[in-house]
Amino acid sequence: MLHDTLRFFPGGDRAVEVELGDGMDFTLNFTVHRLVAAVREAGIAAIEDIIPELASLQINYDPDRISYEDLTRAIAAIYEEMGSDVSGSLPSRLVTLPVCYFDEETTACIEDYRKTYPDKRFDPDLLCELNGLADRAALARRHSGTEYWVAALGFWPGLCSLLPLRPGSRITAPKYNPPRTWTPKGAVGIGGALCCVYPDRTPGGYQLIGRCPAPIYDGTQRLPAFRDSLALLRAGDRVRFRPVTAEECAWIDAEVAAGRYEHDVVEYQIFSVDRYLDWVKAHGEKA
Amino acid sequence: MTTPIRKLLVANRGEIAVRIIRAARKLGIATVQIVSEADREMLAARMADEVIEIGPPAAAKSYLNVGNVLDALRRSGADALHPGYGFLSENAQFAKAVTDMGRIFVGPDAGTIERMGDKVNARQAAIAAGVPVVPGSEGRLDDARAALELAEAIGYPVMIKAAAGGGGRGIRVVRSAEELAAAVPQAIAEATAAFGDGGLYLEAYIENARHIEVQILGDGETVVHLFERECSLQRRRQKVWEEAPAAALPAALRAELCASAVRLARSVAYRGAGTMEYLYDPDRNAFYFIEMNTRIQVEHPVTEMVTGVDLVCEMLLIAGGRKLSMAQEDIRCDGHAIEVRINAEDPARNFFPSPGPIDRLQVPSGEAIRFDTGFDAGSRVPPYYDSLVGKLIVSGSSRALAIERLRQALEELDIGPVATTIPLHRALARNADLLDGNVSTQWLERWLAENALSS
Amino acid sequence: MTIKTVEAMLPGVIYLSPSPDTPPFKAAGDRVAAGETVALVEVMKSFLPVEADSDGTFLGYSTETGSNIEPGEAVCRIEVAQ
Amino acid sequence: MNARCITVLKPGLETTVQELPGRIGYLEQGFPVSGPFDKWSFRQANLLAGNPRDTAALECQFLGPTLRFDCDATVAVTGADMRPKLDGEPAAMWRSLPVRAGQVLELAAAYSGARGYVAVSGGIDTPVVLGSRAVFHMARVGGQALARDQVLPLGPPPSGAGDILAVPEASRPPFSTDKTWQIEALAGPNDDWLDPASVEMFFSADWSVQAKSNRTGIRLSGPQFAFAGRALDKSSDHGQDPSNIIDHGYPLGAVNLAGQTPIILVNDAPSTGGFINPFTVASAAFWKLAQAKPGDVLRFRRIDREEAGRLRAALETVTSAGVAVRV
């Protein structure tokens, strides 16, 4: 749900939170990204960083170059000009990531947690039950049967929040409580209505369903996909998961280790929200 | 001389406890000594008629623990309490609790301690009594113009400091209007960055300040002074060497200084022994009141040596309700006395505290030599309290003779194996600046920075 | 015989046992060797050992587990045979 | 002629290379800004070493490193008092120290403050990663904490180096002597999620710094918060706890409320997350957070943006070149 106008919340003397609406859905997030693109386009020199998030964006600025009042006025004007009806298009790369569902490493991680918290239901079983899926194969089919929208990145370098684009592909789950102390690098998880890939071995709270052997974070920038950054994904990209066998997964691991792996990235695609929303309507569902 | 006090609780330790017990004995008063677990064997405990243990070594749990000290007072049946110096001696609530129990607190009443113990209040009282204070801004200054006008009135050099700061923070000295104009914006920025408050104070900078203090005695009506002491030799604001009278004070100014102290004490109907502390500015030839101590001071013996008055006895007599036994004209200052503080600190290791055993304690004796200590051979200096081992006090008919006597006495004084500051005093007693009386409150730190001492 | 005080090097929270459900590192009367851990200080999510600096007999702790400690504060006392 | 470098003999406790302004422009991919925690001490160290004030230098935490200089250089030590020694002799802080090749600088545990800075003429010349040499240790971005025997390359010495400079005491950051710090903070962005009485409570209570604090967050202990209607009656997208909110950006210096534990998000903090940030510390007050030790008490003083600007300007003045004076 979009607010009627932007709401500004100052975050100290160097940041402002710009809230567009209340809720977690694609159209709201798409509007966030359109506004971010328009603000970038405007080239306000005092802006240092912009963080697009699910329903809001944060702007870090140099208050000695622009006042809070002038900045928020400028952002409101840009939004006004852009119009709040959801239409238009954005450049969007399509990244295909291999995933080995219910692999050994994530299974070991879940078992490790269950040693301390034996009541914790095994993650894939919990997901099947909560989402009315017959078995693990059905869970893997539901998960890999859609493109995902990279709604935001944050919390940890390269950690992404993915929203499923295909109606009916939504999988929901509660988060671990308390969180895990570790998660395998590349683990694929579900929390709330979001999906994520863990960029590194970090603590975490999403329910785990598999592992992606293609790195989405490379601290040493060794692989060609990391020429410009240590993180693979950017907000506004789309991700598709391609199921692979344990054998193929091991082969990819070896290619990565040898520094040869090339990510499957289709650059320069344009994502048209009008065509997408038409498609959703044709599927008889609301986005 | 008689006093209604029959039994006195000594609420302190070390040399001042011994000193109080001696005075009490002279007046026929029984004594009760409180001790922490670490002080059971100390000299004062062995001298007192009774001993009450009040808690573990840490001062906060024993000598500073109001509940425990009051409990000891109740149990002891003492009708008076002498707080000495430090610990609870200037704690107004404690003094009130003692009198609320129907016992005598040897010192001024709680109201006076509270009023004169607060620097700001004491300064107000001094201004009201016509006692000069360091000239400066009455309130905050927030801009350069006000600072310039005031500095012109006071005369350079002046010192600017942050209103919100403390402990010498944010102080800078300027010597001309040009320097002031440059320094004020910088000082405002520093104070803003440091404290979130850019307000400044400005006051006269006293380049070669000497610390001079006046001893007074009052009985609530009459106040007399016992002349002044000079304590300019200080390290980290701790006095190291004290003299009476002050060597460099012109006679006319001395009379005015002592009179001002009497005036201030009289204005608050002071009762007991007290000390008015001043800075003397030789360049402006002026003195300024800084604060008052409402208790006996460590360096009181130098005053006793030159006046012949037993200050601790007088305190007990006044506390017992007697009027002053002497008039101002009865008090004379004869000769010169010097006290040096012997601390268990190693001057060769940057005055590192060195508590430990005292196996050797040889004290010089003779006419005009006094050694006040809370230890004897076989004791230990515990690590929990201040490091004062003893005070060597000498006098002579002139300052030069007193210094000569001090030098000899320091040669004879032998304390060990604990490290002490005796080597520092031996070096100081031979120093030309000191012999000439050419020192200031900054002198010792500067001298220490330039001269390595070996123990 | 001299009594030595072991002091904390770092500010933080002091722990007198290796983990919450184990007994303290040392009890009165225990032998202590120089370099042995007698407590832990937690700072910045790291646990750093407080080590005895001489051999001797452990006399007791001077602080409580879980309390805040400053550099230079006493952690425990050790009687050192000379 | 030796290469211009430093060898790490002892690493200290998470000693890192830091640089200003930090890693700018990568927050949207989840990279924190990093950079020195106490900018005041950091810049003064650089000025004393003859460097531009934002040059890469070392940040030491609680326990400093031991470093051997493999070339002649000018060094400066500022910040927490880690009692530096040069070849075993006490060395002065807050002034330029000329060192010769082979000399060893040793820093001990911090007696006052928590973070010390060591700047070297020419600066530390580690590789630039995503625009900065600042290290985010936890994710190994820009390198990680110093390790024993690591060799740190130095940049070319600045021209005109070699003056012996000092920062007068009045211009140095004043560390608390009574274990309490006044921290200037602004309300927002999410103060409307708290009960108004809890907003007032935040600015009047004593908050104690937990030992679990580090460069990602300063964890506080103190009284409990009560929430406003907005936090208690919200759509399920926000999460179950009253302090949950739909994932949003985290401002630097935000007082992040996860359950009832406030965590001030500092230089290496997460860029986004799902908890509210009712208050934000003024950027010019960060240095105090850097120097607060476990058990110290923080008291927050409410200020507005205008006053935050005055504080920034003041900090700018005391970290500008003129502050270091010739000895």
Side-chain angles (χ1 to χ4, degrees):
Chain A
M1 270 175 302
L2 280 172
H3 299 318
D4 295 338
T5 55
L6 293 181
R7 296 184 190 171
F8 296 102
F9 300 95
D13 55 331
R14 305 190 67 97
V16 56
E17 181 164 311
V18 185
E19 194 180 277
L20 283 80
D22 184 7
M24 210 191 292
D25 67 55
F26 168 78
T27 50
L28 175 49
N29 182 252
F30 185 81
T31 312
V32 169
H33 288 295
R34 280 188 63 221
L35 178 57
V36 167
V39 171
R40 291 227 163 93
E41 182 74 15
I44 301 170
I47 292 179
E48 294 175 342
D49 253 304
I50 304 179
I51 312 174
E53 254 297 345
L54 294 164
S56 62
L57 56 120
Q58 182 188 304
I59 299 177
N60 289 11
Y61 64 100
D62 179 351
D64 297 319
R65 297 177 70 187
I66 192 169
S67 72
Y68 174 84
E69 290 73 19
D70 287 348
L71 176 68
T72 51
R73 244 192 313 272
I75 303 299
I78 292 167
Y79 190 61
E80 182 98 351
E81 194 173 319
M82 185 183 98
S84 59
D85 47 319
V86 184
S87 67
S89 54
L90 283 173
S92 171
R93 306 182 304 168
L94 178 63
V95 181
T96 305
L97 294 173
V99 53
C100 181
Y101 288 101
F102 322 117
D103 66 301
E104 270 177 36
E105 269 188 67
T106 47
T107 306
C109 171
I110 297 164
E111 289 295 2
D112 188 51
Y113 183 87
R114 274 160 49 95
K115 272 186 220 148
T116 319
Y117 303 98
D119 292 343
K120 168 75 181 78
R121 296 276 319 273
F122 211 76
D123 302 19
D125 301 345
L126 179 71
L127 287 168
C128 287
E129 185 188 299
L130 291 175
N131 293 280
L133 295 161
D135 53 18
R136 291 179 175 198
L139 174 62
R141 274 197 301 278
R142 162 97 50 108
H143 183 258
S144 60
T146 175
E147 274 179 17
Y148 290 84
W149 174 253
V150 181
L153 284 98
F155 190 78
W156 194 263
L159 182 63
C160 49
S161 296
L162 305 176
L163 277 172
L165 283 170
R166 184 191 178 89
S169 287
R170 202 168 156 120
I171 308 171
T172 58
K175 292 178 196 168
Y176 272 50
N177 184 18
R180 281 182 307 274
T181 55
W182 68 282
T183 313
K185 177 172 179 167
V188 178
I190 310 272
L194 296 172
C195 172
C196 82
V197 181
Y198 285 90
D200 213 335
R201 187 184 164 103
T202 64
Y206 282 24
Q207 308 285 339
L208 303 181
I209 56 169
R211 185 173 74 85
C212 166
I216 64 159
Y217 177 82
D218 179 0
T220 57
Q221 293 182 278
R222 228 164 31 104
L223 300 173
F226 297 96
R227 222 176 14 244
D228 301 329
S229 183
L230 280 64
L232 177 70
L233 299 172
R234 284 178 228 134
D237 285 345
R238 281 159 305 134
V239 170
R240 177 171 271 288
F241 290 101
R242 176 171 66 87
V244 295
T245 60
E247 194 185 13
E248 188 177 354
C249 187
W251 178 80
I252 297 172
D253 282 336
E255 288 291 292
V256 170
R260 280 194 301 263
Y261 184 78
E262 281 198 40
H263 285 74
D264 182 351
V265 181
V266 183
E267 305 265 0
Y268 309 121
Q269 283 211 347
I270 298 294
F271 182 84
S272 158
V273 74
D274 308 275
R275 289 179 57 197
Y276 168 67
L277 291 175
D278 286 347
W279 174 73
V280 169
K281 210 174 285 166
H283 277 70
E285 279 193 51
K286 246 174 60 197
Chain B
M1 282 181 282
T2 56
T3 162
I5 300 174
R6 297 268 157 264
K7 198 175 189 184
L8 177 71
L9 185 99
V10 183
N12 213 299
R13 60 177 303 284
E15 69 87 19
I16 195 64
V18 171
R19 174 74 188 84
I20 295 165
I21 292 170
R22 289 218 164 101
R25 277 187 180 168
K26 207 157 121 186
L27 297 174
I29 303 171
T31 49
V32 187
Q33 176 64 50
I34 57 168
V35 295
S36 74
E37 284 169 24
D39 278 344
R40 285 173 192 147
E41 300 302 319
M42 73 177 173
L43 185 55
R46 284 180 276 130
M47 286 171 67
D49 301 312
E50 285 172 51
V51 174
I52 297 180
E53 195 170 304
I54 53 156
K61 293 180 177 169
S62 50
Y63 300 106
L64 280 170
N65 184 323
V66 172
N68 290 12
V69 177
L70 291 176
D71 191 47
L73 177 62
R74 194 176 295 117
R75 277 161 50 202
S76 68
D79 41 28
L81 175 147
H82 197 304
Y85 51 71
F87 294 131
L88 297 170
S89 61
E90 288 178 288
N91 181 325
Q93 273 121 22
F94 174 71
K96 183 169 184 305
V98 170
T99 40
D100 285 353
M101 277 170 69
R103 316 295 168 96
I104 296 168
F105 179 80
V106 182
D109 58 64
T112 308
I113 297 176
E114 201 163 359
R115 178 160 182 212
M116 299 309 283
D118 179 276
K119 274 198 178 196
V120 177
N121 287 345
R123 188 183 146 100
Q124 292 305 328
I127 293 168
V131 177
V133 296
V134 180
S137 53
E138 280 309 308
R140 295 156 45 105
L141 294 173
D142 286 301
D143 65 78
R145 235 195 50 203
L148 272 168
E149 282 169 13
L150 185 61
E152 293 298 330
I154 293 171
Y156 294 95
V158 295
M159 177 163 83
I160 44 184
K161 54 186 178 183
R169 165 77 205 178
I171 290 181
R172 60 180 65 205
V173 175
V174 293
R175 297 173 189 284
S176 65
E178 294 72 46
E179 276 183 41
L180 186 72
V184 166
Q186 178 77 15
I188 289 176
E190 283 165 5
T192 305
F195 311 113
D197 175 358
L200 300 178
Y201 284 131
L202 185 146
E203 68 179 41
Y205 177 63
I206 303 167
E207 192 115 59
N208 299 298
R210 301 178 73 127
H211 178 110
I212 292 179
E213 58 189 34
V214 179
Q215 176 70 53
I216 56 116
L217 279 175
D219 60 14
E221 288 172 15
T222 314
V223 176
V224 295
H225 71 80
L226 291 95
F227 299 96
E228 81 286 356
R229 299 184 282 262
E230 171 160 11
C231 320
S232 295
L233 285 199
Q234 301 181 0
R235 182 181 167 273
R236 306 227 164 131
R237 295 175 185 239
Q238 292 294 313
K239 295 164 186 165
V240 165
W241 165 307
E242 300 109 339
E243 301 186 17
L249 198 63
L253 213 57
R254 161 175 297 132
E256 203 181 316
L257 174 82
C258 294
S260 82
V262 169
R263 211 156 58 231
L264 176 52
R266 200 177 284 142
S267 76
V268 296
Y270 195 79
R271 195 160 166 278
T275 301
M276 312 295 181
E277 298 198 326
Y278 295 84
L279 286 180
Y280 169 56
D281 181 350
D283 303 323
R284 292 181 174 96
N285 193 32
F287 62 83
Y288 307 112
F289 171 80
I290 44 176
E291 64 176 315
M292 177 172 192
N293 293 318
T294 56
R295 53 166 167 83
I296 193 73
Q297 307 245 121
V298 179
E299 59 273 23
H300 75 275
V302 287
T303 298
E304 296 184 329
M305 290 287 253
V306 294
T307 60
V309 174
D310 185 325
L311 287 167
V312 183
C313 273
E314 291 300 324
M315 285 178 90
L316 290 169
L317 290 169
I318 294 165
R322 294 234 341 198
K323 292 291 157 200
L324 279 180
S325 59
M326 67 202 89
Q328 187 65 60
E329 49 275 22
D330 302 334
I331 305 166
R332 297 187 37 167
C333 176
D334 286 325
H336 198 93
I338 302 174
E339 172 185 285
V340 296
R341 298 193 193 187
I342 313 293
N343 291 340
E345 291 168 4
D346 190 347
R349 290 170 59 216
N350 198 25
F351 294 88
F352 200 76
S354 307
I358 298 178
D359 296 341
R360 306 189 314 274
L361 184 72
Q362 269 186 39
V363 177
S365 59
E367 187 72 0
I369 294 182
R370 172 171 160 184
F371 190 73
D372 281 16
T373 181
F375 299 99
D376 51 6
S379 3
R380 286 185 75 86
V381 183
Y384 311 102
Y385 316 103
D386 71 49
S387 57
L388 185 64
V389 173
K391 310 182 300 199
L392 177 64
I393 310 111
V394 299
S395 67
S397 56
S398 69
R399 185 168 185 268
L401 283 172
I403 292 179
E404 181 51 39
R405 191 165 279 155
L406 175 68
R407 215 178 284 156
Q408 285 171 17
L410 280 167
E411 288 310 318
E412 287 174 42
L413 182 64
D414 179 29
I415 301 174
V418 63
T420 72
T421 50
I422 294 173
L424 167 72
H425 291 301
R426 286 184 183 151
L428 290 176
R430 289 185 158 67
N431 182 276
D433 281 349
L434 232 148
L435 298 187
D436 295 346
N438 192 13
V439 295
S440 72
T441 51
Q442 311 288 314
W443 185 88
L444 181 58
E445 302 244 17
R446 254 184 249 137
W447 183 82
L448 285 170
E450 289 160 14
N451 293 274
L453 283 166
S454 55
S455 43
Chain C
M1 296 289 213
T2 18
I3 295 171
K4 278 201 156 184
T5 303
V6 179
E7 293 172 355
M9 279 255 291
L10 295 166
V13 175
I14 185 110
Y15 295 98
L16 306 181
S17 54
S19 62
D21 30 353
T22 53
F25 286 99
K26 289 287 166 190
D30 286 359
R31 297 290 308 154
V32 187
E36 224 180 323
T37 298
V38 292
L40 298 172
V41 172
E42 182 191 11
V43 62
M44 291 195 324
K45 302 186 183 180
S46 305
F47 289 85
L48 296 131
V50 179
E51 292 168 352
D53 43 12
S54 36
D55 297 349
T57 307
F58 189 79
L59 293 179
Y61 286 108
S62 318
T63 180
E64 280 166 35
T65 205
S67 57
N68 282 310
I69 200 151
E70 288 285 309
E73 261 183 60
V75 172
C76 64
R77 283 164 299 126
I78 292 171
E79 187 168 290
V80 181
Q82 282 173 334
Chain D
M1 174 88 184
N2 286 319
R4 286 186 52 79
C5 56
I6 302 173
T7 305
V8 179
L9 302 183
K10 283 188 200 161
L13 182 60
E14 269 185 40
T15 306
T16 52
V17 176
Q18 296 300 339
E19 187 182 40
L20 280 169
R23 195 161 280 107
I24 304 296
Y26 294 89
L27 274 174
E28 59 167 332
Q29 284 191 303
F31 294 87
V33 172
S34 300
F37 198 170
D38 171 1
K39 197 157 98 172
W40 188 337
S41 299
F42 175 88
R43 282 181 159 170
Q44 290 190 339
N46 267 322
L47 294 173
L48 292 169
N51 294 334
R53 63 183 187 171
D54 293 346
T55 307
L58 296 177
E59 177 174 291
C60 318
Q61 310 192 78
F62 292 101
L63 182 63
T66 301
L67 309 165
R68 188 186 67 222
F69 294 89
D70 299 320
C71 59
D72 295 358
T74 303
V75 180
V77 184
T78 64
D81 181 7
M82 297 182 170
R83 289 167 299 168
K85 285 182 180 169
L86 194 60
D87 284 351
E89 289 296 317
M93 290 179 58
W94 307 99
R95 62 174 286 155
S96 322
L97 294 173
V99 298
R100 288 183 310 282
Q103 285 199 291
V104 172
L105 178 71
E106 183 187 352
L107 273 64
Y111 250 63
S112 66
R115 286 173 176 88
Y117 293 87
V118 180
V120 188
S121 51
I124 311 287
D125 195 21
T126 43
V128 173
V129 176
L130 303 185
S132 179
R133 294 181 179 85
V135 168
F136 172 31
H137 167 71
M138 278 177 71
R140 307 177 301 281
V141 179
Q144 46 189 315
L146 299 194
R148 184 183 292 268
D149 297 332
Q150 186 178 345
V151 175
L152 292 167
L154 299 177
S159 59
D163 281 342
I164 302 298
L165 305 171
V167 173
E169 185 162 0
S171 307
R172 302 173 198 163
F175 292 179
S176 168
T177 50
D178 59 0
K179 298 179 65 54
T180 61
W181 300 81
Q182 178 188 268
I183 308 292
E184 291 83 4
L186 295 87
N190 307 128
D191 50 322
D192 57 338
W193 287 57
L194 292 182
D195 183 87
S198 281
V199 173
E200 293 315 308
M201 176 275 283
F202 174 76
F203 287 106
S204 58
D206 281 3
W207 298 94
S208 155
V209 174
Q210 294 184 17
K212 290 180 192 354
S213 304
N214 59 14
R215 276 178 55 93
T216 64
I218 302 290
R219 286 172 170 265
L220 304 177
S221 306
Q224 301 261 308
F225 290 92
F227 292 88
R230 180 168 185 188
L232 301 168
D233 180 25
K234 60 190 172 193
S235 83
S236 64
D237 283 349
H238 288 283
Q240 292 133 356
D241 194 272
S243 65
N244 276 140
I245 188 170
I246 291 179
D247 278 16
H248 62 156
Y250 281 173
L252 202 55
V255 179
N256 185 249
L257 192 58
Q260 285 286 356
T261 302
I263 304 174
I264 310 175
L265 303 172
V266 292
N267 299 54
D268 288 352
S271 53
T272 67
F275 291 100
I276 57 168
N277 298 307
F279 315 98
T280 309
V281 172
S283 57
F286 267 42
W287 67 271
K288 294 184 237 185
L289 303 176
Q291 299 299 357
K293 296 192 282 190
D296 282 7
V297 167
L298 307 187
R299 294 194 185 116
F300 295 92
R301 184 169 73 88
R302 185 175 186 155
I303 64 166
D304 56 15
R305 274 192 298 280
E306 198 184 318
E307 188 166 357
R310 281 200 295 276
L311 295 177
R312 278 198 313 278
L315 186 59
E316 193 64 22
T317 305
V318 296
T319 56
S320 296
V323 82
V325 295
R326 262 185 200 84
V327 179

